[in-house]
Amino acid sequence: MLPFQTLLQPDKQLKQHVYQQIAGRLINLIQEGILQPGSYLPGSRVMADLLQLHRKTVIAAYEELLSQDWIVAIPRKGMMVATNLPLMKPRSYQPAVSPYAQTPGFRFNTQIPSLPAQVAPTKTRLVVNDGAPDVRLAPLEEWIKACRSIIQSPQYPKRLTQGPTAGSENLRQETIRYLSHTRGLRLDLQNILITRGAQMAIYLAASLLVKKGDAVIVASPNYFYADQCFEQLGAQLLRVPADQDGIDTDAVEQLCRTRKIRCLYIISHHHHPTTVTLSAVRRMKLLQLIRTYQLAVIEDDYDYDYHYPTAPILPLASADHGGHVIYIGSMTKSLGLSIRIGYMIAPAAFIEAATALRRLMDLRGDNLSEEALALLLADGTIERHLKKSNKIYHERRDLLCRLLTAKLGDAVDFVPPNGGMALWLPFHRRHPLPVLATKAAAQGVAISDGAHYNYGGLSLNALRFGFASLNPKEITTVVNILAGILQT
Amino acid sequence: MLPFQTLLQPDKQLKQHVYQQIAGRLINLIQEGILQPGSYLPGSRVMADLLQLHRKTVIAAYEELLSQDWIVAIPRKGMMVATNLPLMKPRSYQPAVSPYAQTPGFRFNTQIPSLPAQVAPTKTRLVVNDGAPDVRLAPLEEWIKACRSIIQSPQYPKRLTQGPTAGSENLRQETIRYLSHTRGLRLDLQNILITRGAQMAIYLAASLLVKKGDAVIVASPNYFYADQCFEQLGAQLLRVPADQDGIDTDAVEQLCRTRKIRCLYIISHHHHPTTVTLSAVRRMKLLQLIRTYQLAVIEDDYDYDYHYPTAPILPLASADHGGHVIYIGSMTKSLGLSIRIGYMIAPAAFIEAATALRRLMDLRGDNLSEEALALLLADGTIERHLKKSNKIYHERRDLLCRLLTAKLGDAVDFVPPNGGMALWLPFHRRHPLPVLATKAAAQGVAISDGAHYNYGGLSLNALRFGFASLNPKEITTVVNILAGILQT
């Protein structure tokens, strides 16, 4: 007889019933070939004695095995391990290591580039992020109230079970209305797909447009996760320099003239990472190129809602582009909630294809969140929040610019951004960012070491200084600490 | 002078400021080539008269255009349309139609198959779905309370801003604990990725494994959205018949012997759509094949938590598979919340690649939801909910089986499912489902016409009868209506 008292070892501390533990372990022994087909288990009384358990527990375990066909009850002989199981070579009596600690023998795609890890925020006093909103300003209480009002409404079971993949109809309607007020876009329900933030919209648009080997134009430097989307799909990236007026449209034209371009990705407001805005002249030039070359354009306008000196220039999407601009935006950035909701705007046929693809990646969004956001758009909460936070972020930008000029002097060289949540801050070469970041971390301040922004083989010495999520006191502290480091 | 009073037409009903409307419209006129570079705008007094607006409104609009470089102020001459804009041919004076109503000239992938639309639930009294939980039983109040407690905690700004792509660490820890209790899995943090429901996990695993032309084994019939994931990636599907014991493992072995198999997709409990469970014998056979052929297996176990006669057979993932089983589960199905949270379990290197790819599709999950779910797992709410709803769904299954036998007689031929939320219900050929569904809809009951389940060229006459989301009275009503239709 096998040493069942060693092999079975129930653990009474576990939540799982002891009889289930015994049954599970017996199945393992069968699977591992230790308990051979055709062999008999000890009678329940014997086994109960061996394991120091109540006989009923053993009987329950055996019944479990019977119901799963691992064993069969042979009259007057007892419980026999089923003989229709494939015979297996006995192996070690030791419990196997977790299969998930092993390296599988199959191949898989490990080519997706991973960016260097950001500094972990938990151990630090202050984090300078890439340009995130201030969660402390977010309308969280209003959010919870909206959620509660939805689940308490008599229609909630219908509304919550299974919404459309394209997103809650209420939210699509409210977003269309919002985009009409703020961007002058004229849209139907069939022109919009609600996504998980802007990132999913970029991935979907890229997946529909790009096949292996296709040429895609991006600005240099560019938002790294957009670059990676295109690369993951096998695109060849054509990097066109961007200056203070945005991407060089003459260079884009040159490329369009000489080869087949699959699409162009552009952030027309507050380009990531450099925060420049595409000038009016270049916008017109780009619209001309769109018409001439039937160019598909992915316009990522994640940051439109925050603009400080004046109203923002309208996006390319608002102009006459013949349906060639796939327009992408985000509510996540605006709200500062941890809820990720964005949208894609495009001609109906494109939205239809994007919706079908999104269904395969993620059947649908969270209806409760989508309905709650629709409520907050409808009752004006979002607009009030944007107005309030626009004013606050504007002040924080101004404060940061003043402090940087006063305290860091010629160690930095920056142009104030005309909107958004971050300032592009190039440091003089004599202050390498990896060194600066290490010293700042020692003083409790997490800043980027700049590696993210050098994606694609660049060697900039710059970072995005997210000012929106820091209050005036925090901004002052960070700049003082940086100034102290630079002086030593 | 252009007919500005016609061309500009501000709409005072709109939320957008009138001056912004005027500025936006003027930009359009410039972009459309109607207002030519070098031409002059009327003075603000003249324009105000023309448009019947206050002069200050016009001045504000002009300032907007100045700040955006669309026009320049020429001393003693007025506002001139900038000459550094590319010259464009004037076109119609009519406002252009929405660009998004136009068909773009670029090509894109429209090959993603779309399933026939389900019957819309809004107009109906009762919906028989595919096997969804009952939202009325979901712990929604507990959910809201958990969310509130998180946003009121002093750590919330740090926790909510930017969580890791792999999912909240609290949720990963709680899920690992849960999977250890219920499936005997031994896992580390690096073996788990939190996703948006099981669907995203399937898409990620498939994307990492499958390249164009690769052979993938699936059961026939199979979950249509899994089939579509593989097809979208260019896989060649090898459909292996499944009977009451699940997929035919001898046929799988035959395929493995004769050609290179990229992976196998399997639902080991309550196969979709037919609800059969893979038998113990075939499980062992499959584990043998995994070891022999180094086969990658995607085990979709979305429905494990609901099992009626006994505890479920452990998944393949719990056995000794050398890291070859990529295990996928869902909390969405269990909870009946509209919050979509699932997970993928795999060896660390695979999880790392899946996390990098997920980041490109969807930067991260909703931290608030993930933290709330972690709380409800930790305080036992989820376990209590599962226990309660398991009992209720068990009763509903039994009631449905009794009623179907008693009232539909030999019009149907079914095997009671041993778990899950749906019953696979084949109808006799003399009762074609499209006809039945149309007649049922006329009486306020939405049932599937079966088209979904015939994906891949099948011609079954069967549907999944989701019993979990209907209470006893609703189940009785539906069966009575179906019985009435069949008798006529």
Side-chain angles (χ1 to χ4, degrees), chain A residues 359-381:
Chain A
R359 191 181 294 121
L360 300 184
M361 286 182 194
D362 175 26
L363 290 179
R364 63 186 78 86
D366 296 346
N367 289 4
L368 180 59
S369 305
E370 291 185 358
E371 294 289 345
L373 181 56
L375 271 188
L376 297 185
L377 276 164
D379 74 6
T381 303

Side-chain angles (χ1 to χ4, degrees), chain B residues 93-398:
Chain B
Y93 280 1
Q94 296 298 318
V97 292
S98 167
Y100 290 110
Q102 296 168 54
T103 307
F106 58 78
R107 277 178 309 114
F108 57 94
N109 177 6
T110 52
Q111 301 305 309
I112 301 149
S114 214
L115 292 173
Q118 297 238 9
V119 184
T122 43
K123 309 260 161 128
T124 49
R125 263 194 309 156
L126 287 168
V127 179
V128 179
N129 60 38
D130 189 62
D134 191 339
V135 191
R136 295 167 294 193
L137 305 176
L140 288 165
E141 277 297 333
E142 291 85 345
W143 178 262
I144 299 280
K145 267 185 209 148
C147 288
R148 167 156 283 146
S149 83
I150 290 162
I151 67 164
Q152 286 172 345
S153 86
Q155 291 81 34
Y156 91 86
K158 273 191 191 165
R159 283 164 73 176
L160 288 190
T161 317
Q162 293 185 335
T165 298
S168 131
E169 189 167 325
N170 288 330
L171 180 56
R172 280 182 287 157
Q173 293 286 15
E174 289 298 333
T175 306
I176 286 175
R177 201 163 305 152
Y178 176 75
L179 292 176
S180 161
H181 293 328
T182 55
R183 276 90 155 162
L185 291 173
R186 280 165 295 162
L187 303 169
D188 289 327
L189 260 192
Q190 61 199 19
N191 293 131
I192 181 169
L193 166 65
I194 301 293
T195 60
R196 311 277 192 179
Q199 187 68 38
M200 182 177 276
I202 297 171
Y203 194 86
L204 288 169
S207 298
L208 291 180
L209 288 171
V210 176
K211 289 209 183 74
K212 204 172 163 171
D214 282 346
V216 173
I217 297 179
V218 297
S220 174
N222 190 35
Y223 175 49
F224 31 78
Y225 290 139
D227 282 357
Q228 293 193 341
C229 275
F230 294 116
E231 287 174 342
Q232 145 73 10
L233 294 161
Q236 185 197 352
L237 289 187
L238 306 179
R239 299 182 184 277
V240 171
D243 57 23
Q244 272 308 313
D245 287 330
I247 197 167
D248 179 347
T249 40
D250 289 336
V252 172
E253 183 171 27
Q254 194 53 36
L255 286 170
C256 289
R257 263 200 201 125
T258 50
R259 55 185 298 181
K260 174 80 195 146
I261 302 299
R262 201 70 198 82
C263 75
L264 177 144
Y265 168 86
I266 196 158
I267 308 170
S268 48
H269 295 101
H270 328 140
H271 180 68
H272 191 290
T274 59
T275 78
V276 299
T277 290
L278 190 67
S279 71
V281 176
R282 293 204 181 158
R283 262 160 222 259
M284 291 203 54
K285 177 79 188 181
L286 201 50
L287 285 167
Q288 226 180 23
L289 295 177
I290 288 172
R291 282 186 287 260
T292 308
Y293 295 98
Q294 300 282 299
L295 194 61
V297 170
I298 301 176
E299 182 178 30
D300 180 356
D301 204 15
Y302 72 97
D303 219 11
Y304 180 90
D305 290 311
Y306 289 98
H307 213 84
Y308 308 131
T310 55
I313 304 182
L314 287 174
L316 292 169
S318 305
D320 187 12
H321 52 72
H324 282 243
V325 175
I326 297 148
Y327 183 68
I328 288 170
S330 168
M331 296 291 188
T332 308
K333 275 274 184 180
S334 313
L335 279 177
L337 287 163
S338 81
I339 306 301
R340 294 184 50 72
I341 298 184
Y343 49 82
M344 175 198 288
I345 305 296
F350 196 87
I351 290 294
E352 196 184 326
T355 306
L357 182 56
R358 188 254 165 92
R359 191 182 293 119
L360 301 184
M361 286 183 194
D362 175 26
L363 290 180
R364 64 186 78 86
D366 296 346
N367 289 4
L368 181 58
S369 305
E370 292 184 356
E371 294 289 345
L373 181 56
L375 271 187
L376 297 186
L377 276 165
D379 73 7
T381 303
I382 303 291
E383 206 181 13
R384 281 193 300 278
H385 169 71
L386 285 176
K387 209 166 266 181
K388 184 183 82 173
S389 44
N390 232 309
K391 187 160 169 292
I392 293 172
Y393 295 164
H394 191 168
E395 289 164 3
R396 290 180 182 179
R397 181 202 68 162
D398 291 348

Side-chain angles (χ1 to χ4, degrees), chain A residues 85-140:
Chain A
L85 301 171
L87 199 68
M88 301 184 70
K89 247 174 58 190
R91 290 178 305 134
S92 158
Y93 281 2
Q94 295 298 315
V97 291
S98 167
Y100 289 110
Q102 297 167 54
T103 306
F106 58 79
R107 276 177 310 113
F108 57 93
N109 177 4
T110 51
Q111 301 306 308
I112 301 149
S114 215
L115 293 173
Q118 298 237 12
V119 185
T122 42
K123 308 261 160 123
T124 49
R125 262 195 310 157
L126 288 168
V127 179
V128 179
N129 59 39
D130 189 61
D134 191 340
V135 191
R136 295 167 294 194
L137 304 175
L140 288 166

Side-chain angles (χ1 to χ4, degrees), chain A residues 248-446:
Chain A
D248 178 346
T249 40
D250 289 336
V252 172
E253 184 170 26
Q254 194 54 38
L255 286 170
C256 290
R257 264 202 201 124
T258 49
R259 55 184 297 180
K260 174 81 195 143
I261 302 299
R262 202 67 199 83
C263 75
L264 178 145
Y265 168 86
I266 195 158
I267 308 170
S268 48
H269 295 101
H270 328 139
H271 179 69
H272 192 288
T274 59
T275 80
V276 299
T277 291
L278 191 67
S279 72
V281 177
R282 293 202 180 160
R283 260 160 222 260
M284 292 206 51
K285 178 78 187 180
L286 201 50
L287 286 167
Q288 228 180 19
L289 295 177
I290 288 172
R291 281 185 289 260
T292 307
Y293 295 98
Q294 300 282 299
L295 194 62
V297 171
I298 300 176
E299 183 178 28
D300 180 356
D301 204 14
Y302 72 95
D303 219 10
Y304 180 91
D305 292 310
Y306 288 97
H307 213 86
Y308 308 130
T310 55
I313 304 182
L314 286 174
L316 292 168
S318 306
D320 187 12
H321 53 73
H324 282 243
V325 175
I326 297 148
Y327 183 68
I328 289 169
S330 168
M331 296 290 187
T332 308
K333 276 273 186 182
S334 312
L335 279 177
L337 287 164
S338 81
I339 305 300
R340 294 185 51 71
I341 297 184
Y343 50 83
M344 175 198 287
I345 306 296
F350 196 87
I351 291 294
E352 198 184 325
T355 306
L357 182 56
R358 187 253 165 93
R359 191 181 294 121
L360 300 184
M361 286 182 194
D362 175 26
L363 290 179
R364 63 186 78 86
D366 296 346
N367 289 4
L368 180 59
S369 305
E370 291 185 358
E371 294 289 345
L373 181 56
L375 271 188
L376 297 185
L377 276 164
D379 74 6
T381 303
I382 304 291
E383 206 180 13
R384 281 193 301 278
H385 169 71
L386 285 176
K387 209 167 266 180
K388 184 183 83 172
S389 44
N390 233 308
K391 188 161 169 292
I392 293 172
Y393 296 165
H394 192 166
E395 289 163 4
R396 291 179 182 179
R397 181 202 66 163
D398 291 349
L399 172 67
L400 176 62
C401 291
R402 279 201 308 278
L403 289 174
L404 288 174
T405 305
K407 309 221 168 179
L408 301 196
D410 65 357
V412 295
D413 178 19
F414 66 94
V415 179
N418 63 9
M421 306 189 186
L423 178 146
W424 177 240
L425 189 60
F427 280 78
H428 195 284
R429 294 276 168 200
R430 70 177 177 271
H431 305 295
L433 269 178
V435 176
L436 189 57
T438 307
K439 287 183 181 168
Q443 295 194 51
V445 169

